[in-house]
Amino acid sequence: MMSNCAKSMISIATVLHFLVDGLCVCALYLMVGTVDGADLLPLFLTYNILAFMTQPLTGWWIDRCKCKHAALLVAIGFLALAVAFQVAVASWWQFSPFQIIISAFLLGMGNSFFHVWGGKLTALVTGNDMRGLGIFVSSGVLGLTIGVLYASWWLLAGLLLLLTILGAIVLHLPVAFAEGSVTDLRPLPSPGRKAIVWLLAILVFVLLRSFVGEVVSVGVEKSSAVLLLLAVTAMIGKAGGGWLARWCGIGRAIVACLGVTAACLMFRDADRVPLLPVLLGVFAINCTMPMTLHLANRSLPLREGLAFGLLAAVLIPGNMLATGLQLSSDHIFMLSALLLTIAVEVGMLMLMGEKRKDVLIGAVAVNILTNVPLNYFLLTYGNSMERLITGELLVLVAEALWYFCFVRQWRKAAIYSLLCNATSFLVGILIQIIIIYSL
């Protein structure tokens, strides 16, 4: 159980997260109407690179800083300077490309310092509890949406005022670390090779999650009401993901969330994309956020700031990849089919009692190697029954040979391949039937 001090600290940090993200985006969108269209790309690119991709550096710094709230003070200082500078420019001058970069720099660095402070502090006071981590990260998406939809000078002033007041309150609150958590006085150990491999796997998953999180809502008409609904849904997913993982385990929770998201990606046709599957997919994919943050903290003990920063840094490449690619309906289908197959087959192996990490990771790899070529062939040359059956039989044999390399038992390898492929095939057929009768 978390102490009252920890709950108070998390509550205030969560509100601060809402205020910081809302303030940054509000300030950016106030500049949008006053600058040339050619300056918008440098504005948002500079901000996003500094706000997200500098977090590993600011996280590395805060892990070594003895003053627990130094990063918060720096963040508030940067954001206050950004607002003051923007007001001065809007009142007396016109925004030039140089002044735009200055504003983006101040906002981005303030955002960067705040997030690693909040992520590390939450891990400290909760003992890396996924529930607390999920609650802290949940409010940012709502702040972003409010800042975009209702950008005004009054909103900007109100957000900065509340940010300053709550920041002052935090400075006077006692910080009680959870039992067994990190303190600044302990030396930082070097992470082992296995921990680094797992951290790289987590980073790849987070990048994929950022990509899928953007793709899942492609095709939905994003009115103000829909944007708010999507933000609230993502917020609930992030806040609830830790509770879900505590209930059923991290591995099962991630597999289930990935499967639900993949199924929801399939609910679309050339004419429309239903809102309900999109909301369910957004909820499911965001549930994994506190889980990956918890695992990253375990992979980098005593480096919670760096762990938080690394996960934040890979969000931008995934987001840019999703927005930059022109995905067709076939591309989205192939992505959803791959993710669904991975989720179903890994889940099936877990149900059969398989716990060896090399076997489970091998299942992910073999599905990438077999599912993508099969679906590409069927979409390119026609999805006839003969081709489908032939392709599935080839995949069945290939996966049996693959599993034998891990389990060294022909009977078990054949059972794994047969049950996993049969289950994923039947689940896919069931989802397709539901889609046909619901769209």
Side-chain angles (χ1 to χ4, degrees):
M1 294 293 291
M2 287 183 285
S3 65
N4 291 331
C5 176
K7 292 177 181 178
S8 300
M9 189 66 72
I10 294 172
S11 299
I12 296 177
T14 303
V15 177
L16 285 171
H17 193 179
F18 169 86
L19 296 173
V20 168
D21 282 356
L23 183 149
C24 290
V25 174
C26 179
L28 290 172
Y29 274 79
L30 284 175
M31 283 189 283
V32 166
T34 61
V35 301
D36 295 332
D39 294 327
L40 293 180
L41 179 60
L43 170 65
F44 284 95
L45 192 60
T46 301
Y47 168 76
N48 282 303
I49 289 175
L50 291 172
F52 290 91
M53 303 193 76
T54 63
Q55 286 192 37
L57 297 176
T58 52
W60 175 86
W61 174 76
I62 195 176
D63 286 333
R64 286 157 175 76
C65 183
K66 293 184 179 181
C67 180
K68 301 175 183 63
H69 297 310
L72 177 62
L73 292 172
V74 173
I76 295 176
F78 270 118
L79 296 175
L81 281 174
V83 173
F85 179 77
Q86 189 165 337
V87 170
V89 173
S91 300
W92 295 301
W93 305 295
Q94 293 292 328
F95 277 101
S96 67
F98 179 68
Q99 290 166 333
I100 288 171
I101 296 301
I102 292 177
S103 292
F105 171 81
L106 293 173
L107 291 169
M109 292 309 300
N111 190 292
S112 178
F113 275 100
F114 169 78
H115 279 82
V116 292
W117 167 82
K120 183 176 181 67
L121 188 73
T122 303
L124 290 177
V125 299
T126 65
N128 199 25
D129 192 317
M130 288 179 287
R131 296 169 297 180
L133 294 171
I135 291 171
F136 168 70
V137 298
S138 66
S139 60
V141 63
L142 185 60
L144 291 173
T145 306
I146 295 297
V148 170
L149 295 179
Y150 305 107
S152 69
W153 291 106
W154 286 108
L155 177 63
L156 187 65
L159 292 172
L160 180 60
L161 177 62
L162 291 174
L163 175 63
T164 306
I165 293 173
L166 288 180
I169 293 175
V170 167
L171 297 178
H172 292 87
L173 284 178
V175 180
F177 294 146
E179 184 178 351
S181 65
V182 181
T183 69
D184 293 324
L185 300 179
R186 295 172 59 186
L188 298 179
S190 299
R193 183 177 301 176
K194 184 179 294 186
I196 293 176
V197 171
W198 275 109
L199 180 63
L200 290 175
I202 295 167
L203 292 174
V204 171
F205 180 84
V206 171
L207 189 148
L208 175 65
R209 181 181 64 206
S210 176
F211 178 81
V212 173
E214 287 294 321
V215 172
V216 73
S217 61
V218 169
V220 175
E221 185 178 350
K222 296 182 175 66
S223 62
S224 297
V226 171
L227 285 174
L228 279 173
L229 188 57
L230 289 170
V232 171
T233 302
M235 180 177 176
I236 295 173
K238 293 175 183 179
W243 299 87
L244 175 64
R246 285 287 294 259
W247 174 61
C248 64
I250 296 178
R252 294 186 182 91
I254 290 178
V255 168
C257 291
L258 190 63
V260 170
T261 305
C264 291
L265 269 173
M266 293 184 173
F267 277 83
R268 58 187 65 230
D269 56 24
D271 299 323
R272 66 188 182 93
V273 179
L275 182 58
L276 183 59
V278 170
L279 292 174
L280 184 57
V282 168
F283 170 82
I285 198 67
N286 278 280
C287 279
T288 64
M289 183 167 288
M291 306 177 203
T292 52
L293 185 53
H294 168 86
L295 292 173
N297 288 335
R298 287 171 55 182
S299 298
L300 287 174
L302 307 181
R303 290 178 172 86
E304 293 84 356
L306 177 60
F308 192 99
L310 288 171
L311 266 60
V314 298
L315 294 177
I316 290 300
N319 182 277
M320 294 178 66
L321 187 63
T323 54
L325 292 176
Q326 298 296 323
L327 296 177
S328 66
S329 57
D330 286 346
H331 293 140
I332 295 178
F333 173 79
M334 289 180 63
L335 175 63
S336 58
L338 172 63
L339 296 179
L340 182 64
T341 302
I342 290 174
V344 170
E345 297 202 10
V346 172
M348 192 64 192
L349 289 172
M350 289 180 173
L351 288 176
M352 287 187 286
E354 183 58 66
K355 297 180 180 179
R356 287 171 289 185
K357 293 181 175 62
D358 57 344
V359 177
L360 298 177
I361 294 175
V364 174
V366 75
N367 276 290
I368 295 173
L369 295 173
T370 57
N371 186 269
V372 174
L374 175 60
N375 282 317
Y376 178 79
F377 177 82
L378 294 175
L379 289 172
T380 303
Y381 298 102
N383 190 9
S384 65
M385 183 59 68
E386 293 81 5
R387 289 170 178 167
L388 177 62
I389 292 175
T390 302
E392 289 291 343
L393 289 175
L394 290 174
V395 169
L396 187 68
V397 173
E399 291 193 14
L401 293 172
W402 180 275
Y403 286 125
F404 176 76
C405 295
F406 293 93
V407 300
R408 295 297 177 181
Q409 298 178 30
W410 283 112
R411 182 172 179 272
K412 179 174 284 190
I415 292 174
Y416 278 4
S417 179
L418 179 61
L419 290 181
C420 288
N421 279 281
T423 305
S424 63
F425 180 80
L426 292 175
V427 169
I429 294 296
L430 177 61
I431 292 175
Q432 291 297 318
I433 292 173
I434 295 174
I435 292 173
I436 292 172
Y437 286 98
S438 62
L439 291 179

